[in-house]
């Protein structure tokens, strides 16, 4: 089975952030070395011995740059052996400010990494500490300078807003400082209180206070306006880029296209099925070393699920969903299947048709989850197209 992109998960962090629910573990040198070996066995087992051609490669976490130089080189050599890096248009890695040194920057550049996504989150040292982050504002400046010195021009900066006790003006100041770097890509996400996190425990005890919802909406509107004023296109609900710098790997997800997922807790989407790997690190390593197949579950993707995902993933893009593309993929118009749903959402002012494309309105973006829920189907709903 082939996919056009690959995601590789590195679950190690020097410190666990208080809001994060991704698969992650405190960095341990011995365990990290074992993990790279297990990862190699998983990839070797599942995609064979020849170099695979993919359009995008993404190393995420956790914090991939938490690996030491030897481990990072082993990871890069593994990827270079199994994938044709030269044929990939985008090779991304996630990183924390402060994790980079000159040797790591040289190593990544030498192996063809051409995009770095920095988890900055907020420009406030006290708030960074409250989030459980290790870096300081000065580390952001040092890391961006270091990356530019080594030829990285495709740098993305990630922010979180609607943080505990954050005001609208505080977010505006963070945004202004972020934009002063004049980078080609920015991501900004509203804080989500996820189960099994420190913030979730504090929230349940009444010890964590989020800004009121109207302030969160104001922050989002300021975000959109500021990005536009700085020449960045709003191309996905939470993502902004200068022309040509859109995240090609993330667009694979939003276009509902296929990708490999390797590593602890990683998810893949292959023709006809989704896979989810074992999350606990010792269990992942054990299974990957035994048979190279550390998959916890597989889910068959039927026509019903493919259509649902096409709609609510596609509507995350500001360009929306092309009806002609939908017809080419499924053999019929989404108008035929969702006639009543589309009429309801248009009446609410949450969606609009722009030429061939169906997309969210500004109001619809604010109620995105409510919109997406409208596209869930019953099996009997498909009778109109069979």
């Amino acid at each position: 089975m082939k996919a056009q992109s690959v995601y590789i998960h590195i679950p190690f962090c020097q410190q666990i952030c208080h809001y994060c629910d991704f698969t992650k573990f405190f960095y341990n040198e011995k365990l990290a070395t074992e993990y790279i070996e297990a990862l190699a066995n998983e990839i070797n087992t599942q995609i064979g011995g020849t170099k695979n051609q993919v359009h995008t490669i993404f190393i995420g976490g956790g914090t991939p740059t938490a690996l030491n130089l030897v481990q990072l080189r082993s990871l890069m050599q593994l990827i270079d052996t199994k994938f044709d890096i030269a044929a990939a248009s985008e090779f991304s890695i996630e990183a924390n400010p402060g994790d980079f040194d000159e040797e790591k920057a040289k190593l990544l550049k030498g192996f063809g990494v051409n995009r770095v996504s920095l988890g900055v989150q907020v420009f406030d040292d006290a708030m960074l500490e409250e989030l459980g982050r290790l870096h300081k504002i000065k580390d952001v400046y040092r890391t961006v300078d270091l990356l530019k010195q080594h030829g990285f021009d495709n740098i993305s900066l990630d922010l979180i807003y609607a943080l505990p006790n954050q005001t609208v003006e505080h977010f505006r100041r963070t945004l202004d400082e972020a934009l002063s770097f004049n980078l080609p890509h920015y991501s900004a996400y509203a804080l989500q209180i996820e189960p099994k996190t420190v913030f979730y425990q504090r929230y349940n005890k009444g010890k964590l206070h989020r800004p009121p919802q109207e302030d969160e909406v104001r922050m989002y509107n300021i975000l959109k306006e500021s990005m536009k004023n700085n020449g960045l296109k709003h191309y996905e609900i939470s993502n902004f880029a200068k022309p040509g710098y859109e995240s090609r790997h993330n667009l694979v997800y939003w276009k509902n296209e296929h990708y490999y997922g390797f590593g602890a807790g990683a998810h893949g989407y292959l023709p006809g099925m989704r896979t989810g790997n074992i999350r606990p690190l010792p269990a992942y390593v054990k299974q990957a070393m035994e048979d190279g197949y550390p998959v916890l579950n597989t889910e068959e993707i039927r026509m019903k699920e493919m259509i649902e995902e096409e709609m609510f993933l596609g509507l995350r893009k500001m360009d929306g969903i092309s009806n002609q593309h939908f017809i080419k993929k499924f053999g019929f118009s989404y108008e035929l299947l969702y006639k009543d749903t589309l009429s309801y959402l248009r009446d609410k002012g949450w969606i609009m048709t722009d030429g061939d494309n169906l997309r969210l309105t500004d109001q619809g973006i604010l109620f995105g989850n409510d919109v997406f829920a409208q596209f869930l189907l019953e099996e009997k709903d498909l009778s109109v197209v069979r």
Side-chain angles (χ1 to χ4, degrees):
M1 288 179 288
K2 296 292 185 180
Q4 67 181 63
S5 293
V6 58
Y7 173 81
I8 297 172
H9 191 73
I10 304 299
F12 298 103
C13 294
Q14 298 290 352
Q15 183 165 311
I16 305 301
C17 298
H18 297 164
Y19 54 85
C20 180
D21 73 333
F22 292 115
T23 302
K24 72 280 182 188
F25 303 88
F26 283 108
Y27 174 78
N28 173 283
E29 185 173 8
K30 179 176 181 295
L31 190 55
T33 298
E34 292 174 353
Y35 181 81
I36 301 299
E37 294 174 2
L39 187 63
N41 205 44
E42 180 190 6
I43 295 174
N44 285 329
T45 300
Q46 295 195 38
I47 65 170
T50 59
K51 274 197 176 187
N52 285 255
Q53 287 204 345
V54 291
H55 296 312
T56 68
I57 303 168
F58 194 102
I59 308 172
T63 312
T65 49
L67 298 175
N68 66 32
L69 191 65
V70 173
Q71 293 160 348
L72 196 58
R73 181 177 289 109
S74 295
L75 175 62
M76 291 297 133
Q77 288 171 339
L78 168 63
I79 294 170
D80 185 51
T81 300
K82 305 308 297 183
F83 300 98
D84 186 352
I85 294 174
S89 62
E90 184 181 273
F91 185 0
S92 301
I93 191 168
E94 289 183 334
N96 283 342
D99 279 344
F100 263 106
D101 58 27
E102 191 162 354
E103 290 304 310
K104 286 183 180 179
K106 286 180 180 178
L107 176 70
L108 295 175
K109 189 67 176 177
F111 273 98
V113 174
N114 57 19
R115 183 175 185 272
V116 178
S117 180
L118 287 178
V120 173
Q121 318 313 2
V122 66
F123 281 90
D124 182 314
D125 283 345
M127 201 166 279
L128 284 168
E129 185 175 354
E130 180 66 19
L131 293 175
R133 306 290 290 177
L134 287 177
H135 77 267
K136 304 292 186 185
I137 294 173
K138 65 181 181 181
D139 296 318
V140 181
Y141 285 86
R142 185 185 67 81
T143 302
V144 170
D145 284 345
L146 179 65
L147 290 171
K148 287 183 175 180
Q149 287 169 20
H150 287 85
F152 291 96
D153 58 3
N154 193 351
I155 302 170
S156 176
L157 192 153
D158 295 348
L159 302 173
I160 302 176
Y161 64 95
L163 295 168
N165 303 312
Q166 187 177 40
T167 65
V168 173
E169 284 307 310
H170 181 281
F171 175 63
R172 192 191 297 273
R173 290 194 297 272
T174 269
L175 197 54
D176 287 345
E177 188 159 3
L179 287 167
S180 71
F181 285 86
N182 192 30
L183 297 177
H185 191 282
Y186 293 86
S187 300
Y189 301 90
L191 176 69
Q192 302 296 311
I193 307 297
E194 303 288 357
K196 300 180 181 179
T197 64
V198 172
F199 273 5
Y200 183 78
Q201 296 170 6
R202 291 180 184 174
Y203 185 76
N204 282 344
K205 294 176 181 177
K207 296 181 178 180
L208 186 144
H209 303 287
R210 298 192 60 188
Q213 190 170 23
E214 56 268 27
D215 281 1
E216 182 177 326
V217 171
R218 288 178 63 197
M219 291 179 194
Y220 185 66
N221 287 333
I222 290 168
L223 170 68
K224 292 191 296 180
E225 181 182 4
S226 298
M227 292 292 171
K228 182 179 179 180
N229 291 341
N230 282 269
L232 293 133
K233 179 185 177 183
H234 188 193
Y235 74 99
E236 190 272 344
I237 287 177
S238 303
N239 286 269
F240 307 81
K242 293 181 180 179
Y245 285 91
E246 298 84 357
S247 171
R248 298 180 185 185
H249 184 84
N250 286 337
L251 281 167
V252 168
Y253 301 149
W254 301 321
K255 290 179 178 179
N256 203 23
E257 295 172 343
H258 298 122
Y259 54 91
Y260 298 109
F262 298 118
H267 289 82
Y269 179 34
L270 300 173
M273 70 172 183
R274 288 193 184 277
T275 61
N277 276 1
I278 295 168
R279 285 176 65 107
L281 196 53
Y284 166 83
V285 170
K286 182 175 183 293
Q287 194 64 44
M289 291 305 295
E290 281 184 3
D291 63 9
Y293 195 73
V295 176
L296 178 65
N297 55 64
T298 60
E299 176 191 358
E300 179 186 357
I301 303 297
R302 301 167 298 166
M303 177 70 75
K304 170 183 171 296
E305 288 81 19
M306 288 177 64
I307 292 170
E308 290 171 344
E309 293 174 0
E310 190 78 13
M311 297 304 292
F312 57 68
L313 288 171
L315 283 171
R316 290 194 62 88
K317 297 182 283 103
M318 294 300 97
D319 289 341
I321 303 164
S322 162
N323 196 27
Q324 290 303 311
H325 177 78
F326 190 95
I327 292 169
K328 184 177 180 180
K329 190 168 186 177
F330 296 104
F332 54 87
S333 168
Y334 52 63
E335 293 277 356
L336 179 62
L337 185 59
Y338 287 112
K339 181 179 177 182
D340 292 341
T341 296
L342 296 176
S343 178
Y344 167 76
L345 293 172
R346 287 184 179 114
D347 288 345
K348 294 282 287 186
W350 290 352
I351 62 170
M352 64 177 291
T353 301
D354 185 4
D356 180 54
N357 286 16
L358 181 75
R359 63 180 183 85
L360 296 175
T361 63
D362 288 345
Q363 188 72 4
I365 292 172
L366 300 177
F367 292 93
N369 289 336
D370 296 316
V371 175
F372 303 151
Q374 296 298 315
F375 291 98
L376 295 174
L377 295 168
E378 299 289 341
E379 196 66 40
K380 62 181 176 61
D381 295 331
L382 295 177
S383 61
V384 298
V385 297
R386 284 175 174 158

